[in-house]
Amino acid sequence: MDRKRIVVAMSGGVDSTTAAALLKKEGHDVIGITMQLLEYGEAEGGCCSLDQVVDARRAASSLGFPHYVVNFTEEFDRYVLTDYVDKYMSGKTPIPCVLCNKHVKFDLLLQKALDLGADYLATGHYAKIERDAGGRLSLRKAADESKDQTYFLYTLTQKELSRLMFPLGDMTKDEVRDIAKGFGLRQAEKPDSTGVCFVPDGNYRDYLTARSAFTEAKGDILNSRGDVLGTHKGVFSFTVGQRRGLGIAAGKPMYVTRIDPGANRVYVGEKDELYGMKLVAENITWVDNAYIDNMLDGIIEVKAKVRYRHPESAATLRMWGPSGGMVEFKDPQRAITPGQAVVFYSGDRVLGGGWIREVLPQ
């Protein structure tokens, strides 16, 4: 076996801990690192809490490799928290995990690993990396598609992939828990972390109010005809597709269909009004630029997904230059939401993705 020095990003959960245990068992020189992303009092109960750090350190000690904590609180605030607030305040719905992966985990932490002389940075993500005969790397879906996390990893390029390892890509969650039990790890019984790590109670409205200088900004809630159905106290309390907490009595189920922050208006409609066919994407990046180099003036046939839990669907992408374009689906998509990502696939291969800027009328 070719022994490597591998830094493992350890959150304290079962996935990253099991990944570290497997690499150690294979005989690699493993170093565990946990990122401190928040002041610990702010993260109580979440996946960034002090309890998680303690769990990661205990696991590293029991498995026989060193463990360190690296403080990225300032950078996490700059790249992730500020964007989270800004997007909600502008009527969009953010995905903090994508930005955390791009700027913190696979930039800052990867560089820290390389500074420590590591050959690779490993994580507990459910995804796979494959190398073709020509040496080009591809990002592939995990064997367990119910746990696949490639939607959050679409910003990875050849540069990062060449230094990354995803040891759990061919495993199911049940298999990972069984392996953790075999190693005697207490993480085997820990529940999966859900939601946003810095909003552990799930109440993002309270978080936004506390974080920003928010003051009530009353506006109208309207239907597609322009009839006023009620009022709201701020567009940041709404997201496309939302049904509950609208504060209106329409006599039938209504959903948020569009948010207009400029006019301070929230639009609602019935379920069929949630569906759209076209979107504009910006800041598009590609896992392998070779795929797109000769296609900037053409139309690319892809499978695309507009939310993590949505299935991908057949679509065409017309590029408008190197990083923008229009995506048109063959079938209507539910709740296409500005601020979310649209990720492009070909089979199980991730091609790339971008941010949804706006939804176009049909």
Side-chain angles (χ1 to χ4, degrees):
M1 183 206 73
D2 186 9
R3 189 170 189 262
K4 301 293 185 182
R5 169 170 282 196
I6 304 171
V7 166
V8 182
M10 299 182 68
S11 68
V14 64
D15 295 325
S16 58
T17 306
T18 303
L22 288 169
L23 292 170
K24 178 66 176 178
K25 183 180 179 181
E26 290 174 5
H28 296 294
D29 177 13
V30 172
I31 301 170
I33 291 185
T34 300
M35 298 182 296
Q36 181 184 351
L37 303 178
L38 301 167
E39 298 302 329
Y40 289 127
E42 298 173 347
E44 190 171 351
C47 66
C48 300
S49 67
L50 183 58
D51 287 344
Q52 298 285 56
V53 176
V54 171
D55 284 348
R57 178 154 293 178
R58 284 175 175 169
S61 177
S62 69
L63 293 166
F65 58 81
H67 174 268
Y68 305 97
V69 176
V70 59
N71 189 318
F72 289 145
T73 54
E74 181 180 335
E75 294 86 352
F76 188 70
D77 187 289
R78 180 189 316 140
Y79 292 117
V80 181
L81 301 183
T82 298
D83 176 86
Y84 186 80
V85 173
D86 289 348
K87 278 199 168 66
Y88 267 118
M89 291 304 181
S90 63
K92 297 180 178 180
T93 302
I95 318 176
C97 290
V98 172
L99 290 177
C100 183
N101 284 335
K102 175 179 174 60
H103 294 293
V104 183
K105 190 168 292 178
F106 299 128
D107 184 358
L108 296 171
L109 184 60
L110 177 56
Q111 186 57 54
K112 178 66 70 174
L114 298 178
D115 290 344
L116 290 171
D119 298 292
Y120 295 98
L121 170 67
T123 75
H125 283 99
Y126 287 86
K128 295 192 288 186
I129 299 170
E130 294 184 2
R131 185 185 297 271
D132 66 19
R136 303 300 293 179
L137 296 162
S138 60
L139 177 64
R140 305 274 178 167
K141 288 183 182 178
D144 184 352
E145 285 207 28
S146 69
K147 291 295 181 181
D148 175 66
Q149 293 173 299
T150 53
Y151 179 82
F152 302 110
L153 301 172
Y154 78 86
T155 62
L156 292 173
T157 67
Q158 297 293 298
K159 177 183 176 182
E160 291 86 33
L161 289 176
S162 68
R163 293 291 195 166
L164 293 178
M165 298 179 72
F166 300 136
L168 309 185
D170 287 313
M171 302 178 190
T172 67
K173 187 73 174 198
D174 288 341
E175 289 172 336
V176 170
R177 290 196 180 277
D178 286 342
I179 291 169
K181 288 176 185 176
F183 280 109
L185 298 171
R186 65 190 301 272
Q187 281 86 350
E189 305 298 333
K190 287 181 71 172
D192 291 344
S193 59
T194 59
V196 178
C197 68
F198 51 88
V199 190
D201 62 359
N203 194 332
Y204 76 91
R205 295 173 183 86
D206 285 350
Y207 174 82
L208 292 172
T209 301
R211 167 116 183 149
S212 65
F214 171 72
T215 56
E216 289 189 4
K218 278 193 174 183
D220 291 330
I221 301 175
L222 308 93
N223 61 21
S224 57
R225 296 187 302 273
D227 302 323
V228 177
L229 305 182
T231 60
H232 64 81
K233 296 181 179 179
V235 296
F236 81 102
S237 292
F238 300 89
T239 185
V240 173
Q242 179 180 333
R243 175 183 172 187
R244 300 184 184 279
L246 302 184
I248 59 174
K252 53 190 172 184
M254 300 292 278
Y255 304 81
V256 175
T257 58
R258 184 165 66 92
I259 299 170
D260 184 347
N264 197 28
R265 290 174 174 174
V266 175
Y267 289 86
V268 299
E270 296 183 54
K271 190 174 183 179
D272 61 350
E273 295 181 66
L274 274 177
Y275 288 81
M277 299 279 287
K278 300 178 183 179
L279 64 87
V280 175
E282 60 186 356
N283 298 323
I284 295 173
T285 60
W286 301 95
V287 175
D288 187 350
N289 279 332
Y291 181 83
I292 194 67
D293 281 346
N294 298 318
M295 294 177 135
L296 290 182
D297 296 324
I299 295 177
I300 308 167
E301 299 285 337
V302 296
K303 291 289 187 75
K305 64 190 300 184
V306 295
R307 289 213 184 192
Y308 171 48
R309 290 299 182 187
H310 282 204
E312 60 261 28
S313 184
T316 56
L317 167 64
R318 182 186 295 275
M319 293 297 292
W320 294 342
S323 63
M326 183 185 75
V327 179
E328 182 171 2
F329 290 91
K330 293 185 177 178
D331 297 308
Q333 301 297 299
R334 187 181 187 277
I336 302 174
T337 306
Q340 295 286 289
V342 56
V343 180
F344 310 123
Y345 293 83
S346 176
D348 72 340
R349 178 187 177 193
V350 181
L351 302 177
W355 296 104
I356 299 172
R357 190 180 78 193
E358 62 180 304
V359 182
L360 298 176
Q362 297 186 32

